[in-house]
PDB file of all heavy atoms in Angstrom:
ATOM      1  N   TRP A 258       9.463   1.998   3.359  1.00 79.00           N
ATOM      2  CA  TRP A 258      10.479   3.050   3.504  1.00 79.00           C
ATOM      3  C   TRP A 258      11.757   2.668   2.753  1.00 79.00           C
ATOM      4  O   TRP A 258      12.500   3.526   2.305  1.00 79.00           O
ATOM      5  CB  TRP A 258      10.792   3.280   4.992  1.00 79.00           C
ATOM      6  CG  TRP A 258      10.026   4.412   5.569  1.00 79.00           C
ATOM      7  CD1 TRP A 258       8.698   4.442   5.845  1.00 79.00           C
ATOM      8  CD2 TRP A 258      10.537   5.698   5.921  1.00 79.00           C
ATOM      9  NE1 TRP A 258       8.344   5.664   6.358  1.00 79.00           N
ATOM     10  CE2 TRP A 258       9.448   6.459   6.422  1.00 79.00           C
ATOM     11  CE3 TRP A 258      11.791   6.280   5.884  1.00 79.00           C
ATOM     12  CZ2 TRP A 258       9.586   7.765   6.865  1.00 79.00           C
ATOM     13  CZ3 TRP A 258      11.925   7.584   6.327  1.00 79.00           C
ATOM     14  CH2 TRP A 258      10.835   8.312   6.805  1.00 79.00           C
ATOM     15  N   GLU A 259      11.986   1.373   2.616  1.00 78.00           N
ATOM     16  CA  GLU A 259      13.184   0.901   1.917  1.00 78.00           C
ATOM     17  C   GLU A 259      12.933   0.745   0.412  1.00 78.00           C
ATOM     18  O   GLU A 259      13.784   1.059  -0.406  1.00 78.00           O
ATOM     19  CB  GLU A 259      13.640  -0.444   2.497  1.00 78.00           C
ATOM     20  CG  GLU A 259      13.995  -0.395   3.977  1.00 78.00           C
ATOM     21  CD  GLU A 259      15.212   0.460   4.249  1.00 78.00           C
ATOM     22  OE1 GLU A 259      16.093   0.538   3.367  1.00 78.00           O
ATOM     23  OE2 GLU A 259      15.283   1.061   5.338  1.00 78.00           O
ATOM     24  N   LYS A 260      11.747   0.253   0.047  1.00 82.00           N
ATOM     25  CA  LYS A 260      11.439  -0.001  -1.370  1.00 82.00           C
ATOM     26  C   LYS A 260       9.933  -0.194  -1.531  1.00 82.00           C
ATOM     27  O   LYS A 260       9.219  -0.452  -0.555  1.00 82.00           O
ATOM     28  CB  LYS A 260      12.182  -1.240  -1.871  1.00 82.00           C
ATOM     29  CG  LYS A 260      11.833  -2.516  -1.113  1.00 82.00           C
ATOM     30  CD  LYS A 260      12.652  -3.690  -1.596  1.00 82.00           C
ATOM     31  CE  LYS A 260      12.286  -4.961  -0.806  1.00 82.00           C
ATOM     32  NZ  LYS A 260      13.084  -6.130  -1.252  1.00 82.00           N
ATOM     33  N   ASP A 261       9.452  -0.083  -2.766  1.00 85.00           N
ATOM     34  CA  ASP A 261       8.040  -0.319  -3.034  1.00 85.00           C
ATOM     35  C   ASP A 261       7.685  -1.770  -2.710  1.00 85.00           C
ATOM     36  O   ASP A 261       8.500  -2.687  -2.897  1.00 85.00           O
ATOM     37  CB  ASP A 261       7.721  -0.049  -4.506  1.00 85.00           C
ATOM     38  CG  ASP A 261       7.806   1.436  -4.837  1.00 85.00           C
ATOM     39  OD1 ASP A 261       8.054   2.226  -3.915  1.00 85.00           O
ATOM     40  OD2 ASP A 261       7.626   1.788  -6.021  1.00 85.00           O
ATOM     41  N   VAL A 262       6.470  -1.984  -2.241  1.00 90.00           N
ATOM     42  CA  VAL A 262       5.987  -3.329  -1.929  1.00 90.00           C
ATOM     43  C   VAL A 262       4.686  -3.557  -2.694  1.00 90.00           C
ATOM     44  O   VAL A 262       3.754  -2.747  -2.618  1.00 90.00           O
ATOM     45  CB  VAL A 262       5.728  -3.498  -0.413  1.00 90.00           C
ATOM     46  CG1 VAL A 262       5.065  -4.853  -0.139  1.00 90.00           C
ATOM     47  CG2 VAL A 262       7.035  -3.373   0.364  1.00 90.00           C
ATOM     48  N   THR A 263       4.640  -4.644  -3.445  1.00 92.00           N
ATOM     49  CA  THR A 263       3.429  -5.017  -4.184  1.00 92.00           C
ATOM     50  C   THR A 263       2.853  -6.283  -3.573  1.00 92.00           C
ATOM     51  O   THR A 263       3.555  -7.298  -3.413  1.00 92.00           O
ATOM     52  CB  THR A 263       3.739  -5.245  -5.671  1.00 92.00           C
ATOM     53  OG1 THR A 263       4.263  -4.029  -6.231  1.00 92.00           O
ATOM     54  CG2 THR A 263       2.475  -5.653  -6.430  1.00 92.00           C
ATOM     55  N   LEU A 264       1.573  -6.243  -3.207  1.00 92.00           N
ATOM     56  CA  LEU A 264       0.874  -7.377  -2.598  1.00 92.00           C
ATOM     57  C   LEU A 264      -0.291  -7.797  -3.487  1.00 92.00           C
ATOM     58  O   LEU A 264      -0.821  -6.991  -4.270  1.00 92.00           O
ATOM     59  CB  LEU A 264       0.339  -6.992  -1.216  1.00 92.00           C
ATOM     60  CG  LEU A 264       1.344  -6.480  -0.176  1.00 92.00           C
ATOM     61  CD1 LEU A 264       0.601  -6.119   1.114  1.00 92.00           C
ATOM     62  CD2 LEU A 264       2.414  -7.530   0.108  1.00 92.00           C
ATOM     63  N   SER A 265      -0.672  -9.012  -3.338  1.00 91.00           N
ATOM     64  CA  SER A 265      -1.887  -9.459  -4.024  1.00 91.00           C
ATOM     65  C   SER A 265      -3.081  -8.744  -3.398  1.00 91.00           C
ATOM     66  O   SER A 265      -3.005  -8.248  -2.268  1.00 91.00           O
ATOM     67  CB  SER A 265      -2.042 -10.966  -3.869  1.00 91.00           C
ATOM     68  OG  SER A 265      -2.291 -11.285  -2.502  1.00 91.00           O
ATOM     69  N   SER A 266      -4.159  -8.652  -4.124  1.00 89.00           N
ATOM     70  CA  SER A 266      -5.348  -7.976  -3.606  1.00 89.00           C
ATOM     71  C   SER A 266      -5.834  -8.628  -2.323  1.00 89.00           C
ATOM     72  O   SER A 266      -6.336  -7.950  -1.409  1.00 89.00           O
ATOM     73  CB  SER A 266      -6.460  -7.986  -4.654  1.00 89.00           C
ATOM     74  OG  SER A 266      -6.780  -9.331  -5.030  1.00 89.00           O
ATOM     75  N   LYS A 267      -5.664  -9.947  -2.235  1.00 88.00           N
ATOM     76  CA  LYS A 267      -6.112 -10.674  -1.043  1.00 88.00           C
ATOM     77  C   LYS A 267      -5.299 -10.256   0.183  1.00 88.00           C
ATOM     78  O   LYS A 267      -5.855  -9.980   1.244  1.00 88.00           O
ATOM     79  CB  LYS A 267      -5.969 -12.174  -1.281  1.00 88.00           C
ATOM     80  CG  LYS A 267      -6.406 -13.022  -0.100  1.00 88.00           C
ATOM     81  CD  LYS A 267      -6.254 -14.491  -0.422  1.00 88.00           C
ATOM     82  CE  LYS A 267      -6.642 -15.355   0.782  1.00 88.00           C
ATOM     83  NZ  LYS A 267      -6.475 -16.811   0.490  1.00 88.00           N
ATOM     84  N   GLU A 268      -3.974 -10.189   0.038  1.00 89.00           N
ATOM     85  CA  GLU A 268      -3.140  -9.824   1.188  1.00 89.00           C
ATOM     86  C   GLU A 268      -3.238  -8.336   1.502  1.00 89.00           C
ATOM     87  O   GLU A 268      -3.194  -7.925   2.668  1.00 89.00           O
ATOM     88  CB  GLU A 268      -1.690 -10.202   0.927  1.00 89.00           C
ATOM     89  CG  GLU A 268      -0.810 -10.057   2.160  1.00 89.00           C
ATOM     90  CD  GLU A 268       0.551 -10.680   1.980  1.00 89.00           C
ATOM     91  OE1 GLU A 268       1.045 -10.684   0.831  1.00 89.00           O
ATOM     92  OE2 GLU A 268       1.118 -11.157   2.979  1.00 89.00           O
ATOM     93  N   ALA A 269      -3.408  -7.515   0.466  1.00 90.00           N
ATOM     94  CA  ALA A 269      -3.481  -6.070   0.688  1.00 90.00           C
ATOM     95  C   ALA A 269      -4.753  -5.681   1.421  1.00 90.00           C
ATOM     96  O   ALA A 269      -4.804  -4.648   2.106  1.00 90.00           O
ATOM     97  CB  ALA A 269      -3.417  -5.344  -0.650  1.00 90.00           C
ATOM     98  N   LYS A 270      -5.789  -6.505   1.298  1.00 89.00           N
ATOM     99  CA  LYS A 270      -7.083  -6.184   1.893  1.00 89.00           C
ATOM    100  C   LYS A 270      -6.976  -5.929   3.389  1.00 89.00           C
ATOM    101  O   LYS A 270      -7.696  -5.085   3.945  1.00 89.00           O
ATOM    102  CB  LYS A 270      -8.067  -7.321   1.608  1.00 89.00           C
ATOM    103  CG  LYS A 270      -9.486  -7.026   2.039  1.00 89.00           C
ATOM    104  CD  LYS A 270     -10.419  -8.157   1.646  1.00 89.00           C
ATOM    105  CE  LYS A 270     -11.855  -7.848   2.056  1.00 89.00           C
ATOM    106  NZ  LYS A 270     -12.783  -8.958   1.678  1.00 89.00           N
ATOM    107  N   ALA A 271      -6.076  -6.627   4.053  1.00 86.00           N
ATOM    108  CA  ALA A 271      -5.930  -6.488   5.506  1.00 86.00           C
ATOM    109  C   ALA A 271      -5.402  -5.119   5.908  1.00 86.00           C
ATOM    110  O   ALA A 271      -5.544  -4.708   7.060  1.00 86.00           O
ATOM    111  CB  ALA A 271      -4.992  -7.579   6.025  1.00 86.00           C
ATOM    112  N   PHE A 272      -4.797  -4.385   4.956  1.00 91.00           N
ATOM    113  CA  PHE A 272      -4.182  -3.098   5.289  1.00 91.00           C
ATOM    114  C   PHE A 272      -4.947  -1.893   4.750  1.00 91.00           C
ATOM    115  O   PHE A 272      -4.664  -0.763   5.128  1.00 91.00           O
ATOM    116  CB  PHE A 272      -2.743  -3.055   4.740  1.00 91.00           C
ATOM    117  CG  PHE A 272      -1.885  -4.179   5.224  1.00 91.00           C
ATOM    118  CD1 PHE A 272      -1.585  -5.253   4.390  1.00 91.00           C
ATOM    119  CD2 PHE A 272      -1.393  -4.190   6.514  1.00 91.00           C
ATOM    120  CE1 PHE A 272      -0.800  -6.289   4.831  1.00 91.00           C
ATOM    121  CE2 PHE A 272      -0.605  -5.229   6.972  1.00 91.00           C
ATOM    122  CZ  PHE A 272      -0.311  -6.294   6.135  1.00 91.00           C
ATOM    123  N   LEU A 273      -5.905  -2.122   3.880  1.00 88.00           N
ATOM    124  CA  LEU A 273      -6.584  -1.008   3.219  1.00 88.00           C
ATOM    125  C   LEU A 273      -7.443  -0.187   4.161  1.00 88.00           C
ATOM    126  O   LEU A 273      -7.785   0.959   3.847  1.00 88.00           O
ATOM    127  CB  LEU A 273      -7.432  -1.529   2.051  1.00 88.00           C
ATOM    128  CG  LEU A 273      -6.633  -2.173   0.903  1.00 88.00           C
ATOM    129  CD1 LEU A 273      -7.575  -2.633  -0.208  1.00 88.00           C
ATOM    130  CD2 LEU A 273      -5.595  -1.209   0.356  1.00 88.00           C
ATOM    131  N   ASN A 274      -7.814  -0.753   5.297  1.00 86.00           N
ATOM    132  CA  ASN A 274      -8.603  -0.001   6.272  1.00 86.00           C
ATOM    133  C   ASN A 274      -7.745   0.888   7.169  1.00 86.00           C
ATOM    134  O   ASN A 274      -8.276   1.603   8.015  1.00 86.00           O
ATOM    135  CB  ASN A 274      -9.430  -0.965   7.140  1.00 86.00           C
ATOM    136  CG  ASN A 274     -10.516  -1.665   6.350  1.00 86.00           C
ATOM    137  OD1 ASN A 274     -11.063  -1.100   5.405  1.00 86.00           O
ATOM    138  ND2 ASN A 274     -10.816  -2.907   6.714  1.00 86.00           N
ATOM    139  N   ASP A 275      -6.415   0.809   6.978  1.00 86.00           N
ATOM    140  CA  ASP A 275      -5.500   1.586   7.822  1.00 86.00           C
ATOM    141  C   ASP A 275      -4.855   2.713   7.010  1.00 86.00           C
ATOM    142  O   ASP A 275      -3.657   2.980   7.105  1.00 86.00           O
ATOM    143  CB  ASP A 275      -4.423   0.648   8.388  1.00 86.00           C
ATOM    144  CG  ASP A 275      -3.782   1.224   9.650  1.00 86.00           C
ATOM    145  OD1 ASP A 275      -4.274   2.275  10.131  1.00 86.00           O
ATOM    146  OD2 ASP A 275      -2.815   0.642  10.135  1.00 86.00           O
ATOM    147  N   LYS A 276      -5.700   3.371   6.191  1.00 81.00           N
ATOM    148  CA  LYS A 276      -5.174   4.392   5.283  1.00 81.00           C
ATOM    149  C   LYS A 276      -4.496   5.542   6.027  1.00 81.00           C
ATOM    150  O   LYS A 276      -3.530   6.118   5.555  1.00 81.00           O
ATOM    151  CB  LYS A 276      -6.302   4.943   4.415  1.00 81.00           C
ATOM    152  CG  LYS A 276      -6.787   3.968   3.349  1.00 81.00           C
ATOM    153  CD  LYS A 276      -7.824   4.630   2.462  1.00 81.00           C
ATOM    154  CE  LYS A 276      -8.273   3.672   1.367  1.00 81.00           C
ATOM    155  NZ  LYS A 276      -9.285   4.314   0.482  1.00 81.00           N
ATOM    156  N   GLU A 277      -5.009   5.888   7.201  1.00 83.00           N
ATOM    157  CA  GLU A 277      -4.457   7.030   7.942  1.00 83.00           C
ATOM    158  C   GLU A 277      -2.989   6.818   8.294  1.00 83.00           C
ATOM    159  O   GLU A 277      -2.175   7.745   8.214  1.00 83.00           O
ATOM    160  CB  GLU A 277      -5.271   7.254   9.221  1.00 83.00           C
ATOM    161  CG  GLU A 277      -4.852   8.501   9.992  1.00 83.00           C
ATOM    162  CD  GLU A 277      -5.743   8.764  11.188  1.00 83.00           C
ATOM    163  OE1 GLU A 277      -6.866   8.245  11.225  1.00 83.00           O
ATOM    164  OE2 GLU A 277      -5.293   9.502  12.087  1.00 83.00           O
ATOM    165  N   ALA A 278      -2.647   5.571   8.677  1.00 84.00           N
ATOM    166  CA  ALA A 278      -1.253   5.266   9.031  1.00 84.00           C
ATOM    167  C   ALA A 278      -0.331   5.427   7.830  1.00 84.00           C
ATOM    168  O   ALA A 278       0.786   5.931   7.943  1.00 84.00           O
ATOM    169  CB  ALA A 278      -1.153   3.855   9.591  1.00 84.00           C
ATOM    170  N   PHE A 279      -0.822   5.029   6.652  1.00 85.00           N
ATOM    171  CA  PHE A 279      -0.002   5.141   5.450  1.00 85.00           C
ATOM    172  C   PHE A 279       0.099   6.589   4.985  1.00 85.00           C
ATOM    173  O   PHE A 279       1.153   7.040   4.534  1.00 85.00           O
ATOM    174  CB  PHE A 279      -0.573   4.256   4.336  1.00 85.00           C
ATOM    175  CG  PHE A 279      -0.471   2.785   4.633  1.00 85.00           C
ATOM    176  CD1 PHE A 279      -1.576   2.065   5.055  1.00 85.00           C
ATOM    177  CD2 PHE A 279       0.747   2.128   4.506  1.00 85.00           C
ATOM    178  CE1 PHE A 279      -1.474   0.720   5.341  1.00 85.00           C
ATOM    179  CE2 PHE A 279       0.858   0.776   4.789  1.00 85.00           C
ATOM    180  CZ  PHE A 279      -0.258   0.066   5.215  1.00 85.00           C
ATOM    181  N   GLU A 280      -0.998   7.328   5.095  1.00 79.00           N
ATOM    182  CA  GLU A 280      -0.978   8.729   4.690  1.00 79.00           C
ATOM    183  C   GLU A 280      -0.025   9.545   5.570  1.00 79.00           C
ATOM    184  O   GLU A 280       0.639  10.466   5.103  1.00 79.00           O
ATOM    185  CB  GLU A 280      -2.391   9.313   4.768  1.00 79.00           C
ATOM    186  CG  GLU A 280      -3.310   8.787   3.674  1.00 79.00           C
ATOM    187  CD  GLU A 280      -4.733   9.297   3.830  1.00 79.00           C
ATOM    188  OE1 GLU A 280      -5.002   9.985   4.847  1.00 79.00           O
ATOM    189  OE2 GLU A 280      -5.565   8.997   2.962  1.00 79.00           O
ATOM    190  N   LYS A 281       0.033   9.202   6.852  1.00 76.00           N
ATOM    191  CA  LYS A 281       0.930   9.897   7.773  1.00 76.00           C
ATOM    192  C   LYS A 281       2.381   9.752   7.338  1.00 76.00           C
ATOM    193  O   LYS A 281       3.192  10.670   7.502  1.00 76.00           O
ATOM    194  CB  LYS A 281       0.744   9.339   9.185  1.00 76.00           C
ATOM    195  CG  LYS A 281       1.573  10.053  10.238  1.00 76.00           C
ATOM    196  CD  LYS A 281       1.318   9.473  11.616  1.00 76.00           C
ATOM    197  CE  LYS A 281       2.174  10.164  12.666  1.00 76.00           C
ATOM    198  NZ  LYS A 281       1.965   9.578  14.010  1.00 76.00           N
ATOM    199  N   GLU A 282       2.707   8.605   6.779  1.00 75.00           N
ATOM    200  CA  GLU A 282       4.079   8.362   6.313  1.00 75.00           C
ATOM    201  C   GLU A 282       4.229   8.683   4.832  1.00 75.00           C
ATOM    202  O   GLU A 282       5.223   8.337   4.212  1.00 75.00           O
ATOM    203  CB  GLU A 282       4.467   6.899   6.559  1.00 75.00           C
ATOM    204  CG  GLU A 282       4.468   6.509   8.029  1.00 75.00           C
ATOM    205  CD  GLU A 282       5.528   7.256   8.817  1.00 75.00           C
ATOM    206  OE1 GLU A 282       6.555   7.634   8.223  1.00 75.00           O
ATOM    207  OE2 GLU A 282       5.323   7.458  10.019  1.00 75.00           O
ATOM    208  N   ARG A 283       3.218   9.334   4.260  1.00 73.00           N
ATOM    209  CA  ARG A 283       3.177   9.715   2.859  1.00 73.00           C
ATOM    210  C   ARG A 283       3.407   8.509   1.950  1.00 73.00           C
ATOM    211  O   ARG A 283       4.184   8.541   0.994  1.00 73.00           O
ATOM    212  CB  ARG A 283       4.189  10.835   2.558  1.00 73.00           C
ATOM    213  CG  ARG A 283       3.740  11.689   1.379  1.00 73.00           C
ATOM    214  CD  ARG A 283       4.749  12.708   0.933  1.00 73.00           C
ATOM    215  NE  ARG A 283       5.995  12.095   0.543  1.00 73.00           N
ATOM    216  CZ  ARG A 283       7.105  12.221   1.252  1.00 73.00           C
ATOM    217  NH1 ARG A 283       7.093  12.916   2.349  1.00 73.00           N
ATOM    218  NH2 ARG A 283       8.209  11.654   0.844  1.00 73.00           N
ATOM    219  N   ILE A 284       2.738   7.439   2.264  1.00 83.00           N
ATOM    220  CA  ILE A 284       2.781   6.229   1.451  1.00 83.00           C
ATOM    221  C   ILE A 284       1.517   6.181   0.600  1.00 83.00           C
ATOM    222  O   ILE A 284       0.398   6.312   1.105  1.00 83.00           O
ATOM    223  CB  ILE A 284       2.893   4.975   2.332  1.00 83.00           C
ATOM    224  CG1 ILE A 284       4.296   4.937   2.975  1.00 83.00           C
ATOM    225  CG2 ILE A 284       2.647   3.710   1.515  1.00 83.00           C
ATOM    226  CD1 ILE A 284       4.487   3.834   3.976  1.00 83.00           C
ATOM    227  N   ILE A 285       1.693   6.006  -0.694  1.00 82.00           N
ATOM    228  CA  ILE A 285       0.580   5.988  -1.642  1.00 82.00           C
ATOM    229  C   ILE A 285       0.205   4.540  -1.949  1.00 82.00           C
ATOM    230  O   ILE A 285       1.078   3.677  -2.133  1.00 82.00           O
ATOM    231  CB  ILE A 285       0.968   6.727  -2.934  1.00 82.00           C
ATOM    232  CG1 ILE A 285       1.176   8.219  -2.634  1.00 82.00           C
ATOM    233  CG2 ILE A 285      -0.088   6.551  -4.013  1.00 82.00           C
ATOM    234  CD1 ILE A 285       1.687   9.004  -3.824  1.00 82.00           C
ATOM    235  N   ILE A 286      -1.085   4.290  -2.032  1.00 87.00           N
ATOM    236  CA  ILE A 286      -1.584   2.950  -2.364  1.00 87.00           C
ATOM    237  C   ILE A 286      -2.065   2.978  -3.811  1.00 87.00           C
ATOM    238  O   ILE A 286      -2.974   3.732  -4.159  1.00 87.00           O
ATOM    239  CB  ILE A 286      -2.729   2.540  -1.419  1.00 87.00           C
ATOM    240  CG1 ILE A 286      -2.248   2.569   0.041  1.00 87.00           C
ATOM    241  CG2 ILE A 286      -3.256   1.162  -1.781  1.00 87.00           C
ATOM    242  CD1 ILE A 286      -3.344   2.329   1.061  1.00 87.00           C
ATOM    243  N   LYS A 287      -1.436   2.175  -4.664  1.00 87.00           N
ATOM    244  CA  LYS A 287      -1.771   2.141  -6.090  1.00 87.00           C
ATOM    245  C   LYS A 287      -2.405   0.795  -6.446  1.00 87.00           C
ATOM    246  O   LYS A 287      -1.857  -0.271  -6.114  1.00 87.00           O
ATOM    247  CB  LYS A 287      -0.500   2.349  -6.923  1.00 87.00           C
ATOM    248  CG  LYS A 287       0.135   3.716  -6.739  1.00 87.00           C
ATOM    249  CD  LYS A 287       1.531   3.770  -7.352  1.00 87.00           C
ATOM    250  CE  LYS A 287       1.497   3.488  -8.843  1.00 87.00           C
ATOM    251  NZ  LYS A 287       2.860   3.595  -9.433  1.00 87.00           N
ATOM    252  N   PHE A 288      -3.538   0.836  -7.115  1.00 90.00           N
ATOM    253  CA  PHE A 288      -4.220  -0.385  -7.546  1.00 90.00           C
ATOM    254  C   PHE A 288      -3.834  -0.662  -9.004  1.00 90.00           C
ATOM    255  O   PHE A 288      -4.102   0.137  -9.897  1.00 90.00           O
ATOM    256  CB  PHE A 288      -5.740  -0.216  -7.413  1.00 90.00           C
ATOM    257  CG  PHE A 288      -6.194  -0.053  -5.982  1.00 90.00           C
ATOM    258  CD1 PHE A 288      -6.278   1.210  -5.411  1.00 90.00           C
ATOM    259  CD2 PHE A 288      -6.513  -1.164  -5.211  1.00 90.00           C
ATOM    260  CE1 PHE A 288      -6.678   1.367  -4.097  1.00 90.00           C
ATOM    261  CE2 PHE A 288      -6.919  -1.017  -3.887  1.00 90.00           C
ATOM    262  CZ  PHE A 288      -7.007   0.244  -3.330  1.00 90.00           C
ATOM    263  N   ASN A 289      -3.217  -1.797  -9.219  1.00 90.00           N
ATOM    264  CA  ASN A 289      -2.675  -2.131 -10.528  1.00 90.00           C
ATOM    265  C   ASN A 289      -3.701  -2.879 -11.388  1.00 90.00           C
ATOM    266  O   ASN A 289      -4.698  -3.415 -10.879  1.00 90.00           O
ATOM    267  CB  ASN A 289      -1.415  -2.980 -10.372  1.00 90.00           C
ATOM    268  CG  ASN A 289      -0.372  -2.275  -9.505  1.00 90.00           C
ATOM    269  OD1 ASN A 289      -0.137  -1.075  -9.672  1.00 90.00           O
ATOM    270  ND2 ASN A 289       0.233  -3.015  -8.575  1.00 90.00           N
ATOM    271  N   ASP A 290      -3.426  -2.935 -12.710  1.00 88.00           N
ATOM    272  CA  ASP A 290      -4.338  -3.588 -13.652  1.00 88.00           C
ATOM    273  C   ASP A 290      -4.481  -5.075 -13.388  1.00 88.00           C
ATOM    274  O   ASP A 290      -5.515  -5.672 -13.703  1.00 88.00           O
ATOM    275  CB  ASP A 290      -3.856  -3.364 -15.093  1.00 88.00           C
ATOM    276  CG  ASP A 290      -3.954  -1.888 -15.497  1.00 88.00           C
ATOM    277  OD1 ASP A 290      -4.754  -1.170 -14.867  1.00 88.00           O
ATOM    278  OD2 ASP A 290      -3.230  -1.477 -16.428  1.00 88.00           O
ATOM    279  N   ASP A 291      -3.444  -5.708 -12.839  1.00 90.00           N
ATOM    280  CA  ASP A 291      -3.511  -7.160 -12.576  1.00 90.00           C
ATOM    281  C   ASP A 291      -4.134  -7.468 -11.218  1.00 90.00           C
ATOM    282  O   ASP A 291      -3.990  -8.571 -10.691  1.00 90.00           O
ATOM    283  CB  ASP A 291      -2.118  -7.784 -12.664  1.00 90.00           C
ATOM    284  CG  ASP A 291      -1.163  -7.217 -11.614  1.00 90.00           C
ATOM    285  OD1 ASP A 291      -1.581  -6.309 -10.851  1.00 90.00           O
ATOM    286  OD2 ASP A 291      -0.001  -7.659 -11.567  1.00 90.00           O
ATOM    287  N   GLU A 292      -4.797  -6.434 -10.640  1.00 88.00           N
ATOM    288  CA  GLU A 292      -5.489  -6.547  -9.357  1.00 88.00           C
ATOM    289  C   GLU A 292      -4.548  -6.635  -8.154  1.00 88.00           C
ATOM    290  O   GLU A 292      -5.002  -6.825  -7.024  1.00 88.00           O
ATOM    291  CB  GLU A 292      -6.464  -7.753  -9.347  1.00 88.00           C
ATOM    292  CG  GLU A 292      -7.592  -7.605 -10.355  1.00 88.00           C
ATOM    293  CD  GLU A 292      -8.624  -8.696 -10.195  1.00 88.00           C
ATOM    294  OE1 GLU A 292      -8.396  -9.633  -9.410  1.00 88.00           O
ATOM    295  OE2 GLU A 292      -9.677  -8.608 -10.867  1.00 88.00           O
ATOM    296  N   SER A 293      -3.243  -6.486  -8.398  1.00 92.00           N
ATOM    297  CA  SER A 293      -2.322  -6.397  -7.275  1.00 92.00           C
ATOM    298  C   SER A 293      -2.339  -4.961  -6.744  1.00 92.00           C
ATOM    299  O   SER A 293      -2.878  -4.051  -7.387  1.00 92.00           O
ATOM    300  CB  SER A 293      -0.905  -6.785  -7.710  1.00 92.00           C
ATOM    301  OG  SER A 293      -0.412  -5.863  -8.668  1.00 92.00           O
ATOM    302  N   VAL A 294      -1.762  -4.750  -5.569  1.00 92.00           N
ATOM    303  CA  VAL A 294      -1.747  -3.427  -4.942  1.00 92.00           C
ATOM    304  C   VAL A 294      -0.308  -3.078  -4.583  1.00 92.00           C
ATOM    305  O   VAL A 294       0.389  -3.876  -3.946  1.00 92.00           O
ATOM    306  CB  VAL A 294      -2.630  -3.399  -3.677  1.00 92.00           C
ATOM    307  CG1 VAL A 294      -2.582  -2.019  -3.032  1.00 92.00           C
ATOM    308  CG2 VAL A 294      -4.066  -3.779  -4.017  1.00 92.00           C
ATOM    309  N   THR A 295       0.120  -1.891  -4.991  1.00 90.00           N
ATOM    310  CA  THR A 295       1.490  -1.451  -4.706  1.00 90.00           C
ATOM    311  C   THR A 295       1.459  -0.340  -3.666  1.00 90.00           C
ATOM    312  O   THR A 295       0.704   0.621  -3.797  1.00 90.00           O
ATOM    313  CB  THR A 295       2.193  -0.945  -5.973  1.00 90.00           C
ATOM    314  OG1 THR A 295       2.302  -2.024  -6.910  1.00 90.00           O
ATOM    315  CG2 THR A 295       3.589  -0.417  -5.650  1.00 90.00           C
ATOM    316  N   PHE A 296       2.293  -0.494  -2.646  1.00 89.00           N
ATOM    317  CA  PHE A 296       2.476   0.529  -1.613  1.00 89.00           C
ATOM    318  C   PHE A 296       3.808   1.225  -1.913  1.00 89.00           C
ATOM    319  O   PHE A 296       4.857   0.574  -1.937  1.00 89.00           O
ATOM    320  CB  PHE A 296       2.500  -0.101  -0.218  1.00 89.00           C
ATOM    321  CG  PHE A 296       1.202  -0.755   0.169  1.00 89.00           C
ATOM    322  CD1 PHE A 296       0.869  -2.025  -0.303  1.00 89.00           C
ATOM    323  CD2 PHE A 296       0.290  -0.101   0.997  1.00 89.00           C
ATOM    324  CE1 PHE A 296      -0.333  -2.622   0.052  1.00 89.00           C
ATOM    325  CE2 PHE A 296      -0.902  -0.696   1.366  1.00 89.00           C
ATOM    326  CZ  PHE A 296      -1.222  -1.952   0.883  1.00 89.00           C
ATOM    327  N   THR A 297       3.749   2.545  -2.156  1.00 85.00           N
ATOM    328  CA  THR A 297       4.964   3.262  -2.539  1.00 85.00           C
ATOM    329  C   THR A 297       5.070   4.569  -1.763  1.00 85.00           C
ATOM    330  O   THR A 297       4.067   5.227  -1.490  1.00 85.00           O
ATOM    331  CB  THR A 297       4.989   3.547  -4.054  1.00 85.00           C
ATOM    332  OG1 THR A 297       6.184   4.257  -4.385  1.00 85.00           O
ATOM    333  CG2 THR A 297       3.801   4.376  -4.482  1.00 85.00           C
ATOM    334  N   ARG A 298       6.272   4.918  -1.395  1.00 73.00           N
ATOM    335  CA  ARG A 298       6.505   6.170  -0.671  1.00 73.00           C
ATOM    336  C   ARG A 298       6.848   7.250  -1.673  1.00 73.00           C
ATOM    337  O   ARG A 298       7.862   7.189  -2.367  1.00 73.00           O
ATOM    338  CB  ARG A 298       7.632   5.997   0.349  1.00 73.00           C
ATOM    339  CG  ARG A 298       7.784   7.190   1.284  1.00 73.00           C
ATOM    340  CD  ARG A 298       8.637   6.805   2.480  1.00 73.00           C
ATOM    341  NE  ARG A 298       8.728   7.926   3.418  1.00 73.00           N
ATOM    342  CZ  ARG A 298       9.704   8.832   3.403  1.00 73.00           C
ATOM    343  NH1 ARG A 298      10.650   8.745   2.499  1.00 73.00           N
ATOM    344  NH2 ARG A 298       9.718   9.813   4.281  1.00 73.00           N
TER     345      ARG A 298
END
C-alpha cells in the first residue's frame, strides 16, 4: 500500500497461493525476467 515490493522467487512462493487476498486489495503480482516477483498496487 505504501510502495511496490519485489521479492525473490523463493520468498514470493509463500504468498502466491493467497491470490484472493491480494486481488481484494487490487494488488497485481508481476513476474519479472530475473525471476523475481513484484507486488504492486
Side-chain angles (χ1 to χ4, degrees):
W258 264 72
E259 300 294 330
K260 60 183 180 180
D261 290 357
V262 173
T263 300
L264 303 178
S265 67
S266 58
K267 180 179 178 181
E268 189 169 31
K270 187 176 181 180
F272 304 104
L273 295 181
N274 292 328
D275 202 7
K276 288 185 178 180
E277 185 175 340
F279 293 103
E280 288 176 355
K281 183 179 179 182
E282 298 295 332
R283 207 186 59 250
I284 290 174
I285 294 175
I286 302 174
K287 295 168 60 178
F288 295 90
N289 304 316
D290 293 338
D291 62 358
E292 296 188 352
S293 64
V294 179
T295 297
F296 296 79
T297 179
R298 189 165 183 267

